[in-house]
Amino acid sequence: FQFNAPTNPILVHCDSEQINQVIRNLLGNALKFSPDMSKIIVEITHREEHVNVVIADQGIGIPEDELTSIFSKFVQSSVTNNGAGGTGLGLAISKRIVEAMGGEMFFDSTLGVGSRFGFTIPMEHGE
Ligand code: ADP
C-alpha cells in the first residue's frame, strides 16, 4: 500500500461507520482483484469544501463496455463472474451511501492494467 494524504488532518462531518464500509468495499475489491505484490495506492485530497478518496490498483481491470453497469446490484464483470468475487452488492451499496452524504462515486478502469475507484463527499452536509 502507498498512502498519500496531507499531513494536516482533514475533518469531515459524516457517518464514520458507513464511510468505513465504503472504504472497506473499495479496498477489499482492490485486494481481491489484484495480483500478489502489486501496488495499491490510497490517496486523500481536499479541494474547497470537498474531500476526495481514491483507491487505485494494478489489477485485472474491467472491460470498457461493462463499466457503466458495474454499480448495479448483483453485477460482476465478465472477468470475475466465476464466483471468485462476492455478491456484486458492495459497489451498489457504496454508491447509495456516498450519494446520501451528498457526494458522488467515480471510477475508471482499463482491462489488464488496473482500476481507480473513489468518491468525493462534502466536508459538511445537512442531515
Ligand atoms: P463484489 O466484489 O462483492 O462482487 P462489488 O459490487 O464490490 O461486489 O463489485 C462488483 C464487481 O465489480 C466485482 O465482482 C468485480 O467484477 C468488479 N470490480 C470491482 N472492483 C474492482 C477492481 N478494483 N478491479 C477489478 N474489478 C473490480
Side-chain angles (χ1 to χ4, degrees):
F1 284 103
Q2 185 179 311
F3 186 61
N4 300 337
T7 39
N8 289 340
I10 305 171
L11 294 180
V12 181
H13 185 88
C14 68
D15 184 320
S16 60
E17 185 63 37
Q18 290 201 330
I19 212 68
N20 197 14
Q21 284 172 348
V22 173
I23 292 171
R24 274 169 40 199
N25 172 227
L26 301 184
L27 267 182
N29 283 344
L31 278 169
K32 235 173 3 186
F33 303 122
S34 296
D36 285 351
M37 306 308 291
S38 62
K39 191 192 276 188
I40 294 172
I41 300 173
V42 180
E43 199 163 65
I44 301 176
T45 53
H46 69 102
R47 191 171 42 87
E48 290 159 12
E49 294 306 306
H50 287 75
V51 63
N52 282 292
V53 177
V54 176
I55 292 165
D57 67 54
Q58 302 174 330
I60 58 177
I62 298 169
E64 200 180 341
D65 60 344
E66 296 175 25
L67 279 174
T68 48
S69 58
I70 213 70
F71 282 93
S72 303
K73 284 183 204 151
F74 300 113
V75 168
Q76 298 187 328
S77 90
S78 57
V79 272
T80 63
N81 67 3
N82 61 355
T87 54
L89 279 174
L91 287 177
I93 295 170
S94 292
K95 188 169 187 291
R96 284 200 179 201
I97 291 174
V98 166
E99 287 176 353
M101 290 177 179
E104 55 189 50
M105 304 259 321
F106 49 83
F107 63 99
D108 187 22
S109 184
T110 307
L111 191 62
V113 176
S115 306
R116 281 167 64 85
F117 278 86
F119 60 87
T120 177
I121 50 169
M123 286 149 103
E124 287 283 346
H125 65 92
E127 291 306 305

